[in-house]
Amino acid sequence: MVTKKKTKFFKSLRFRILVILVILGIVPGIIATQLMIGNYKQQAIEVRTGEIRTQCAILCNQIIKENYLNDPSPESINSKLEVLANAYGGRIMLVDRDFKVVKDTYNVDEGKILISPKVVKCFKSGEATDYREYGQTLELAVPVRSADVPQMQGAMLVNVSTSAVIATVSELEQRGMLIVGIIIVLSVFLAYILAAVLVKPLARVTKSIEDLTDGYQKDEISVPDYTETELITDAFNKMLTRMKVLDESRSEFVSNVSHELKTPMTSMKVLADSLVGQEGVPEELYQEFMRDITAEIDRENRIITDLLTLVKMDKKSADLQISHMNINQLLEDILKRLRPIADKRNIDLILDSFRPVEADVDELKFTSAISNLVENAIKYNVDDGWVRVSIDADHKDFYVTVADSGMGIPEDSLDRIFERFYRVDKSHSREIGGTGLGLAITRSTITMHHGVIKVFSKEGEGTTFSVRVPLSYIP
Ligand SMILES: Nc1ncnc2c1ncn2[C@@H]1O[C@H](COP(=O)(O)OP(=O)(O)OP(=O)(O)O)[C@@H](O)[C@H]1O
Ligand SMILES: [Mg+2]
């Protein structure tokens, strides 16, 4: 549990923001201190070099004036050289043009020949500097010349200690580390708070969703803090609306089913009660009532069969018994079977076959789907009307239309007629007989065949259903 919580924290947005903010705080801090220290060191060395150079230039003037290189006896210059060497904690050597050491404040190398690279370089280019960090020394070779005698008479080799500079630098480095430490602590602290503030709206989204799932008191959630949270909550609200619609249609379906199943029961009960309540009922009345009861049982049976068909279709859409059928023949058979019903009301049943069509369909399901359309066209027709069925195809699909001269469907009912149990005029439809499941089954069947069904209707003029189904079935 604890480790899970830990890994969750490391995976969280809050942790990532924290890390980024800490890095953003620390890295510039470290770079800035390092740059500052480096800069200081360079400047300190430069200042020191400049100082020595100035002092040397003054001395050189005197050295030339008093011909010190040829005769290093004047005490004034000797003492000045000593003072200078002591002041910088180093050593000064004077070399003449023949590389002979004229003066050494350490009194070690006087009279010797010194051909050090620095001296040579100084004779060549006028000056040579060298800073050695590890030896903590600064070496400088300055030409001996003056404004009056610009030609180089010799070289002054100055070797001074830079330990003072190094000491200051290391002290600065310590202070820098302290500052970086403080920056780290501060930025971790600030980043922790900032990260918490930044992710808060997300936590609010979670909380709102949880509140909603716990209680359902509110219709929707709203966390407008960020554009992102707004998008999330909008999407969530959309899903919620869809769920509510589904929920409503489910409960409507259940109440419709119960109602439809109860209606025949009620009729049967009324019929049976009236027979039971009377004595000496005439035989004809008995028979008539029993016929009515049988009709109601048939009706109940049909509703249950239709419902089971629908439920099966919902459950498994791949359950089709596909065979290659002659669709023209299939339609002819349907019309032949329904012609007696149409004849009763003198309704003309016409089949327009524009071309022979063969296609992959489930014979039983497809027949009942089209039958329902033709049955409707007859049922909701006027006496002496007509029903026209047509069949046509292109290279991909075939088209069946069922048009009638009937009562038509009001515009506001057009997109509801495919719903289960939906009937336009309940009282009228009841008189005609039907449960409102037929079109739902038809549409399911067409969809299972990867087809499309559409309806066009004008109240009082007639209705046309058009069906388009692919010629070959690809599961
Ligand atoms: N051709 C049509 N002309 C006018 N109205 C129609 C037509 N076809 C369907 N309708 C309307 O659509 C409703 C739904 O039709 P559907 O076939 O689903 O149910 P039904 O015919 O009432 O009952 P069932 O087919 O289950 O016996 C019908 O009740 C009717 O109001
Ligand atoms: Mg019907």
Side-chain angles (χ1 to χ4, degrees), residues 51-120:
E51 263 172 34
I52 295 172
R53 210 178 279 140
T54 319
Q55 299 280 355
C56 289
I58 297 170
L59 260 174
C60 285
N61 256 333
Q62 264 187 323
I63 285 168
I64 289 180
K65 219 182 263 164
E66 303 200 10
N67 200 15
Y68 183 85
L69 284 175
N70 293 323
D71 172 22
S73 55
E75 254 331 290
S76 60
I77 295 183
N78 271 340
S79 62
K80 270 187 186 154
L81 283 171
E82 295 289 346
V83 170
L84 191 61
N86 285 338
Y88 291 118
R91 176 185 190 181
I92 300 177
M93 283 192 275
L94 264 174
V95 182
D96 68 9
R97 267 196 287 192
D98 304 324
F99 296 100
K100 200 179 95 193
V101 177
V102 176
K103 168 77 185 169
D104 175 8
T105 52
Y106 279 13
N107 298 320
V108 182
D109 289 334
E110 273 165 17
K112 290 182 185 165
I113 299 293
L114 178 75
I115 313 183
S116 84
K118 209 141 297 117
V119 177
V120 175

Side-chain angles (χ1 to χ4, degrees), residues 439-471:
L439 282 180
I441 295 176
T442 300
R443 189 170 64 172
S444 281
T445 307
I446 302 300
T447 315
M448 278 164 79
H449 282 83
H450 305 315
V452 182
I453 180 164
K454 283 190 184 142
V455 58
F456 311 92
S457 186
K458 207 156 192 199
E459 224 180 336
E461 283 180 24
T463 307
T464 302
F465 282 91
S466 84
V467 171
R468 191 191 78 214
V469 176
L471 288 171

Side-chain angles (χ1 to χ4, degrees), residues 22-314:
V22 167
I23 290 174
L24 282 182
I26 292 173
V27 172
I30 292 178
I31 293 177
T33 12
Q34 285 306 316
L35 278 179
M36 249 159 53
I37 292 172
N39 215 15
Y40 166 79
K41 198 157 49 179
Q42 202 186 342
Q43 250 184 1
I45 300 287
E46 265 169 27
V47 165
R48 175 110 339 164
T49 317
E51 263 172 34
I52 295 172
R53 210 178 279 140
T54 319
Q55 299 280 355
C56 289
I58 297 170
L59 260 174
C60 285
N61 256 333
Q62 264 187 323
I63 285 168
I64 289 180
K65 219 182 263 164
E66 303 200 10
N67 200 15
Y68 183 85
L69 284 175
N70 293 323
D71 172 22
S73 55
E75 254 331 290
S76 60
I77 295 183
N78 271 340
S79 62
K80 270 187 186 154
L81 283 171
E82 295 289 346
V83 170
L84 191 61
N86 285 338
Y88 291 118
R91 176 185 190 181
I92 300 177
M93 283 192 275
L94 264 174
V95 182
D96 68 9
R97 267 196 287 192
D98 304 324
F99 296 100
K100 200 179 95 193
V101 177
V102 176
K103 168 77 185 169
D104 175 8
T105 52
Y106 279 13
N107 298 320
V108 182
D109 289 334
E110 273 165 17
K112 290 182 185 165
I113 299 293
L114 178 75
I115 313 183
S116 84
K118 209 141 297 117
V119 177
V120 175
K121 197 176 164 201
C122 181
F123 274 110
K124 261 193 201 155
S125 64
E127 190 182 312
T129 330
D130 187 18
Y131 169 61
R132 280 199 212 99
E133 171 142 19
Y134 294 106
Q136 303 197 348
T137 56
L138 176 64
E139 228 174 32
L140 199 67
V142 195
V144 178
R145 61 180 159 206
S146 71
D148 312 330
V149 189
Q151 208 191 358
M152 258 181 83
Q153 301 298 312
M156 190 187 270
L157 200 64
V158 187
N159 208 323
V160 300
S161 152
T162 54
S163 52
V165 175
I166 300 297
T168 320
V169 166
S170 74
E171 196 178 305
L172 273 180
E173 266 169 356
Q174 271 173 11
R175 260 188 233 170
M177 254 149 72
L178 187 73
I179 292 174
V180 168
I182 293 173
I183 290 178
I184 290 176
V185 173
L186 266 181
S187 56
V188 167
F189 178 69
L190 281 179
Y192 190 79
I193 294 175
L194 208 64
V197 172
L198 284 175
V199 269
K200 209 167 191 169
L202 290 179
R204 220 172 285 151
V205 172
T206 317
K207 175 92 173 40
S208 304
I209 293 177
E210 269 169 6
D211 282 355
L212 211 67
T213 28
D214 286 348
Y216 252 94
Q217 322 96 319
K218 272 200 246 159
D219 280 347
E220 52 181 37
I221 58 171
S222 160
V223 183
D225 303 35
Y226 297 147
T227 313
E228 285 82 357
T229 53
E230 219 172 334
L231 287 175
I232 295 176
T233 50
D234 281 355
F236 182 81
N237 288 336
K238 254 185 222 154
M239 193 191 78
L240 208 67
T241 317
R242 269 199 64 191
M243 272 171 60
K244 276 191 187 141
V245 169
L246 272 179
D247 201 42
E248 270 162 28
S249 83
R250 192 182 54 96
S251 50
E252 196 186 309
F253 178 65
V254 171
S255 86
N256 280 336
V257 169
S258 326
H259 176 77
E260 288 304 322
L261 291 180
K262 258 187 88 176
T263 318
M265 289 284 194
T266 319
S267 312
M268 283 189 270
K269 171 106 171 98
V270 170
L271 290 165
D273 273 354
S274 58
L275 286 182
V276 171
Q278 283 180 55
E279 263 175 48
V281 183
E283 167 112 25
E284 303 86 69
L285 199 66
Y286 237 112
Q287 282 205 331
E288 198 196 319
F289 275 27
M290 281 321 251
R291 260 199 304 278
D292 288 350
I293 288 177
T294 316
E296 289 299 334
I297 290 175
D298 284 346
R299 188 175 148 72
E300 181 99 46
N301 211 7
R302 236 193 50 225
I303 297 173
I304 292 171
T305 315
D306 283 357
L307 271 175
L308 285 178
T309 313
L310 265 176
V311 170
K312 254 194 236 154
M313 282 182 175
D314 279 356

